[in-house]
């Protein structure tokens, strides 16, 4: 087989369940994934008001173990991973030597010398290769565990009650960005209070052979409170409303964390060198003296929907570019995230538009996120 031959599409352990539910399937990073089951707007509203059930088994799990696991991750990633306590998680990034973002990650510290790095599906191999290469000289092992896990998320205001019906784990004591081992519907799981929707919720890492059983148990537990299965389409509008970046849109190798307005994830005060430190120190200095384009929210005055790559304009000049755009089911209007020149980034800035096929449609600049849940 030649190296440029198409790779076979991958299927999650829940593939048959999605098809039985009548899901519209789509290719996503080489995986056949549910795009929607019925109305993506209804799925979106269910997560905002009740609960939604997601199959996220396409995400890339990489386990790092050994006496120097923390030291390796401190060298390989921009965050201070050694400071993360067992049972907690940290949002961080892996960058190239030039400071460009290879991926944004969540790292779970499972034990003193054991970590799970969760990469985006499209970047999992890149992250695995980079960690393996950077592990040279460290007493630590990097293991590809993508086939060892299925990942199911339950998100929305009813999710704690739904999960509590099928586990005796201490959910009340589980903080945001924390994880604990437990049993859910009789299945061993890592229960994490994380998500990508802007709502309270949980992500459950289980063995693939337990995925169908867990999916069915959660579906049954959520029957009385309006839980619905949800696809990737509403996951995207939910994260967009919550102002959460998506790799390949708001994040890329051509941007440093400082360019993306996420310089806070870079920890220069940690011990030792890390990949990209010199370039990122220079980027931090540039950002302080010459502010880069700023990621802002745009809300349409009309009905036309902006898409990634559309130009943002003011006074006849291009001042930025849309990175993500969609109709917002919660706001009832089209919204977008865009990088714009700092001079036009203040919320309430007038005279800003998006060039939609030659027509400059008026947009209001707003602070991100568009939506924030009531605690």
């Amino acid at each position: 087989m030649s190296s440029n031959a198409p790779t076979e599409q991958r299927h999650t352990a829940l593939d048959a369940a999605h098809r039985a539910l009548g899901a519209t399937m789509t290719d996503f990073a080489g995986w056949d994934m549910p795009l929607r089951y019925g109305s993506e707007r209804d799925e979106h509203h269910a997560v905002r008001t009740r609960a939604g059930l997601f199959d996220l088994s396409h995400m890339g799990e990489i386990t790092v173990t050994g006496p120097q696991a923390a030291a390796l991750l401190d060298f390989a990633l921009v965050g201070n991973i050694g400071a993360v306590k067992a049972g907690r998680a940290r949002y961080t990034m892996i960058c190239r030597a030039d400071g460009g973002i290879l991926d944004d990650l969540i790292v779970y510290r499972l034990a003193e010398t054991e970590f799970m790095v969760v990469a985006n599906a499209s970047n999992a191999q890149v992250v695995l290769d980079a960690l393996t290469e950077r592990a040279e000289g460290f007493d630590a092992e990097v293991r590809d565990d993508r086939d060892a896990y299925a990942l199911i998320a339950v998100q929305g205001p009813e999710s704690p009650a739904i999960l509590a019906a099928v586990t005796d784990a201490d959910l009340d004591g589980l903080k945001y960005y924390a994880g604990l081992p437990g049993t859910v519907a009789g299945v061993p799981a890592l229960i994490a209070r994380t998500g990508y929707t802007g709502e309270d919720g949980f992500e459950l890492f289980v063995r693939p052979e337990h995925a169908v059983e867990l999916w069915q148990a959660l579906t049954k537990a959520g029957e009385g409170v309006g839980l619905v299965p949800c696809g990737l389409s509403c996951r995207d509008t939910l994260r967009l409303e919550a102002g959460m970046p998506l790799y390949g849109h708001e994040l890329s190798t051509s941007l440093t964390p400082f360019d993306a307005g996420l310089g806070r994830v870079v920890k220069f005060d940690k011990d030792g060198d890390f990949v990209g430190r010199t370039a990122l120190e220079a980027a931090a200095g540039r950002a302080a003296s010459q502010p880069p384009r700023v990621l802002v929210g745009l809300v349409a005055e009309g009905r036309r929907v902006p898409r990634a790559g559309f130009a943002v304009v003011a006074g006849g000049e291009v001042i930025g570019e849309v990175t993500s755009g969609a109709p917002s089911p919660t706001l009832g209007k089209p919204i977008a995230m865009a990088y714009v020149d700092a001079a036009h980034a203040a919320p309430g800035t007038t005279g800003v538009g998006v060039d939609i096929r030659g027509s400059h449609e008026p947009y209001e600049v707003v602070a991100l996120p568009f939506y924030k849940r009531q605690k």
Side-chain angles (χ1 to χ4, degrees):
M1 180 171 153
S2 67
S3 60
N4 60 0
T7 53
E8 196 175 329
Q9 201 168 43
R10 301 185 71 182
H11 300 271
T12 78
L14 291 162
D15 186 69
H18 300 318
R19 293 172 194 280
L21 288 165
T24 299
M25 307 296 284
T26 189
D27 176 77
F28 186 84
W31 291 83
D32 202 20
M33 298 296 293
L35 184 66
R36 70 181 76 81
Y37 297 85
S39 155
E40 53 205 49
R41 177 179 292 268
D42 290 348
E43 290 171 26
H44 181 110
H45 284 310
V47 176
R48 286 277 178 258
T49 60
R50 302 184 305 277
L53 192 61
F54 296 83
D55 177 11
L56 306 179
S57 301
H58 60 310
M59 300 294 282
E61 295 87 5
I62 301 162
T63 302
V64 181
T65 57
Q68 289 188 299
L72 162 59
L73 290 172
D74 276 341
F75 169 71
L77 312 180
V78 300
N80 188 351
I81 307 305
V84 178
K85 292 181 170 61
R88 297 305 303 266
R90 181 69 48 88
Y91 175 77
T92 188
M93 294 183 182
I94 183 167
C95 290
R96 302 192 305 194
D98 67 1
I101 302 165
L102 282 173
D103 201 12
D104 61 336
L105 312 164
I106 295 181
V107 179
Y108 297 89
R109 189 168 201 161
L110 304 179
E112 187 61 26
T113 60
E114 184 179 6
F115 297 81
M116 182 167 67
V117 177
V118 181
N120 285 297
S122 55
N123 293 330
Q125 189 64 48
V126 169
V127 174
L128 177 67
D129 291 345
L131 287 175
T132 302
E133 184 184 320
R134 295 173 191 188
E136 192 176 337
F138 288 91
D139 187 3
E141 181 197 351
V142 175
R143 188 172 73 236
D144 180 0
D145 269 349
R146 284 176 288 180
D147 292 336
Y149 291 102
L151 178 55
I152 295 173
V154 55
Q155 299 277 302
E158 294 289 349
S159 57
I162 292 167
L163 193 55
V166 291
T167 185
D168 56 6
D170 178 18
L171 301 182
D172 290 340
L174 187 64
K175 295 187 175 75
Y176 187 50
Y177 265 71
L180 85 168
T183 302
V184 183
V187 168
L190 172 67
I191 305 166
R193 200 164 207 151
T194 46
Y196 195 50
T197 63
E199 298 298 336
D200 191 10
F202 303 88
E203 295 182 322
L204 308 169
F205 296 85
V206 299
R207 293 195 60 78
E209 59 265 30
H210 294 147
V212 171
E213 185 184 343
L214 180 56
W215 179 274
Q216 290 171 344
L218 289 166
T219 299
K220 193 169 189 326
E223 272 174 359
V225 291
L227 174 78
V228 301
C230 293
L232 291 177
S233 185
C234 85
R235 180 171 154 88
D236 191 50
T237 52
L238 288 159
R239 71 92 196 166
L240 176 56
E241 288 183 352
M244 294 177 169
L246 174 64
Y247 195 89
H249 290 256
E250 289 71 42
L251 307 174
S252 71
T253 51
S254 63
L255 296 172
T256 72
F258 294 94
D259 297 321
L262 292 165
R264 66 180 183 276
V265 305
V266 182
K267 305 300 183 188
F268 293 120
D269 57 354
K270 63 179 173 175
D271 293 338
D273 195 14
F274 62 91
V275 177
R277 179 191 271 274
T278 303
L280 290 169
E281 284 173 341
R286 278 197 308 275
S289 59
Q290 291 176 294
R293 282 184 165 174
V294 180
L295 188 65
V296 300
L298 298 175
V299 178
E301 292 180 21
R303 308 303 306 168
R304 298 186 75 186
V305 178
R307 298 297 182 190
F310 286 11
V312 182
V313 294
E317 300 290 319
V318 174
I319 58 150
E321 186 176 300
V322 170
T323 53
S324 298
S328 164
T330 303
L331 275 64
K333 298 175 179 179
I335 59 172
M337 286 200 279
Y339 283 110
V340 302
D341 294 344
H344 298 272
T349 299
T350 56
V352 171
V354 175
D355 186 338
I356 302 182
R357 296 180 183 86
S359 171
H360 291 186
E361 300 289 325
Y363 274 73
E364 180 190 356
V365 178
V366 300
L368 292 169
F370 299 97
Y371 166 86
K372 203 163 193 174
R373 72 182 171 97
Q374 303 301 308
K375 301 287 185 191

